[in-house]
Amino acid sequence: GGWVSEEELAQAKRDLDPRTYRVEYEAEFANYEGVVYYAFDRAKNVKGFSFEEAQNVIHVGIDMNVNPMSAVCSVIKDGTMYVLDEIEMYGSNTDELCDEIATRFPNAKIIAYPDPSARARKTSAGGRTDLSIIQNNGFICKIFNKHMAVRDRVNSVNSQLCNGAGENKILIHPRCKKLISCLEKQIYKPGTSQPEKDTGYDHMNDALGYLVSFLHPIRKEYATNNETKTWGVKVVA
């Protein structure tokens, strides 16, 4: 309608997933039925690649659920996240997960992005928290003080899988079969905007979501003096 500049529209297409862009800038009605991570396309987001020579820093998203504990391991290069590996451990604990991560990437600097509940949840009789265990294993932790809204976390992942400009900022190695399956199969509860969590497809997706939403959180920016409300992506160091 002429109220939004071409520059803002171009930036919004880069920052937002296609559905959110259409809702916010093209007045499309939001329909949250169907697949949660609709922006995932196996043909575009699944690629074979090798980064053996560049695994100096590994970014790991962690879902602290006990059965299973799930982790997504990635390298970030030139603004693109390359998901190298996935870890799924049943009947395990945080110490064992950290040992597995360190075993797979023995010479790398590990930056972990755990579930925010890691600040409080106790996993041992000694009263340690999941967060303290991860830190004591030598990992750098980047964690929100509290959970962001589920819809915002989902939107941040969708916006990186494919943004409004058609760019794919998350590439997943074919070996990550569980993550690929979960992205394809997790749906919304019928008639709601809440992702289904009773099918087992949520844990690996949540692990990816904690990583992506910390690095690329989508937020609404509210302008003053009757200026237009815009969306943006806040990059957290």
Side-chain angles (χ1 to χ4, degrees):
W3 295 97
V4 182
S5 69
E6 291 296 326
E7 290 78 10
E8 180 180 332
L9 290 175
Q11 183 63 46
K13 283 184 177 180
R14 291 191 295 271
D15 290 345
L16 303 176
D17 64 273
R19 177 182 289 172
T20 302
Y21 176 82
R22 293 195 302 268
V23 169
E24 292 298 315
Y25 288 92
E26 297 180 352
E28 180 177 294
F29 177 75
N31 180 2
Y32 290 99
E33 294 183 357
V35 176
V36 175
Y37 296 98
Y38 77 94
F40 175 75
D41 185 335
R42 185 184 286 251
K44 296 179 180 178
N45 295 110
V46 179
K47 302 286 184 182
F49 49 79
S50 175
F51 273 113
E52 281 77 7
E53 75 287 355
Q55 294 181 24
N56 298 320
V57 180
I58 301 295
H59 300 264
V60 184
I62 302 174
D63 178 52
M64 306 306 308
N65 189 66
V66 176
N67 263 321
M69 297 196 79
S70 303
V72 170
C73 309
S74 67
V75 168
I76 299 174
K77 182 177 181 181
D78 299 330
T80 297
M81 179 179 294
Y82 296 84
V83 180
L84 303 171
D85 211 349
E86 61 184 12
I87 301 173
E88 186 177 52
M89 301 176 69
Y90 285 84
S92 189
N93 57 50
T94 308
D95 283 301
E96 291 180 351
L97 176 64
C98 290
D99 287 345
E100 181 63 24
I101 294 171
T103 298
R104 296 194 187 193
F105 306 100
N107 300 315
K109 175 182 178 180
I110 307 295
I111 303 179
Y113 304 78
D115 178 344
S117 66
R119 291 182 178 277
R121 182 177 298 158
K122 304 295 177 65
T123 62
S124 71
R128 298 178 299 164
T129 65
D130 288 324
L131 178 58
S132 69
I133 293 171
I134 295 170
Q135 291 172 326
N136 288 339
N137 274 273
F139 299 172
I140 298 170
C141 284
K142 299 198 174 186
I143 182 173
F144 286 121
N145 290 325
K146 62 181 181 179
H147 285 279
M148 68 165 54
V150 173
R151 184 182 298 179
D152 290 342
R153 190 171 75 236
V154 169
N155 284 342
S156 71
V157 174
N158 275 323
S159 71
Q160 295 300 301
L161 288 169
C162 182
N163 62 24
E167 299 167 331
N168 308 109
K169 295 297 185 178
I170 297 176
L171 299 179
I172 303 171
H173 196 281
R175 73 168 65 95
C176 301
K177 292 181 171 56
K178 185 58 180 286
L179 175 60
I180 294 168
S181 177
C182 290
L183 288 169
E184 288 181 327
K185 295 177 181 178
Q186 189 178 18
I187 62 173
Y188 287 104
K189 294 182 178 179
T192 77
S193 60
Q194 298 302 311
E196 177 64 64
K197 288 185 170 290
D198 295 330
T199 56
Y201 298 128
D202 55 312
H203 303 305
M204 201 63 74
N205 289 341
D206 287 348
L208 178 65
Y210 296 132
L211 167 58
V212 174
S213 63
F214 192 96
L215 294 173
H216 304 282
I218 291 180
R219 65 176 185 178
K220 286 184 178 180
E221 298 175 342
Y222 292 92
T224 58
N225 300 325
N226 297 320
E227 294 179 356
T228 305
K229 176 190 71 177
T230 64
W231 283 71
V233 172
K234 177 182 178 182
V235 178
V236 180

